[in-house]
Amino acid sequence: MLTGGQLAGLIVAVFWAVLVSFLAYTLLKLARLIGEATKMVADLGEQAGPLMDDMARTVRRANEQLGRTDVITKQVGTVTQNVSAVTTVMTSVVGGPLVKAAAFSYGVRKALGNRAGEERPPSRPQLPAQASRSTARGGSGTTRGGSGTSGRGGRRR
């Protein structure tokens, strides 16, 4: 039979054999992993060059398009200024005389209307209650005393 020292030596030898087997298995797995990582890095290095070229081409094309857009934006700004200037000129050339002509025709129409004896309509619509009060006072549909004034210093409207 085995003595105590021999039994302890046998247990230690078995333990070391299991430990060495486990470490060998782990190192084999690690070697495979490192091999796969090396392949992947090599593939990535091969693909990185064309990928960088494509990316540089894309950035160049984007810069060209931005340059074109800048030119178009400047031209649109110029067109906007020109349209603003034309609008200002048209307003001053056409707008002023049209306003004067409209005011003149309105004045002539009012003068001819007042000369023909037409009664002037009230300057603003009256509510039924206000109309009945003004006729009850003896007015003819005009405001404030029926004298045809607007109540502001005797000026006619």
Side-chain angles (χ1 to χ4, degrees):
M1 184 96 181
L2 296 172
T3 64
Q6 291 175 336
L7 183 62
L10 183 65
I11 291 174
V12 169
V14 170
F15 174 75
W16 277 108
V18 169
L19 182 66
V20 168
S21 299
F22 177 74
L23 288 174
Y25 178 75
T26 305
L27 285 175
L28 282 173
K29 289 286 191 180
L30 185 62
R32 287 185 193 158
L33 178 68
I34 290 174
E36 290 295 321
T38 303
K39 287 180 188 177
M40 186 181 290
V41 167
D43 290 343
L44 228 147
E46 291 173 3
Q47 294 174 0
L51 191 66
M52 294 297 279
D53 291 340
D54 287 344
M55 196 167 59
R57 242 180 286 135
T58 303
V59 168
R60 259 187 260 115
R61 287 174 63 191
N63 283 336
E64 289 172 5
Q65 295 297 326
L66 284 174
R68 291 178 187 160
T69 304
D70 189 38
V71 169
I72 291 170
T73 303
K74 287 179 183 176
Q75 290 174 352
V76 166
T78 304
V79 168
T80 302
Q81 288 175 348
N82 291 342
V83 167
S84 176
V86 167
T87 302
T88 303
V89 167
M90 290 302 292
T91 302
S92 64
V93 168
V94 176
L98 280 178
V99 169
K100 290 178 183 176
F104 178 74
S105 65
Y106 178 76
V108 167
R109 189 176 58 214
K110 282 302 213 176
L112 290 177
N114 286 342
R115 182 183 280 178
E118 294 179 8
E119 183 178 317
R120 195 171 102 208
S123 61
R124 58 182 172 186
Q126 292 183 350
L127 296 174
Q130 289 177 340
S132 65
R133 270 190 273 159
S134 64
T135 53
R137 283 191 232 147
S140 59
T142 57
T143 57
R144 303 217 175 155
S147 63
T149 62
S150 64
R152 295 182 182 158
R155 284 187 280 152
R156 290 184 149 246
R157 281 195 174 180

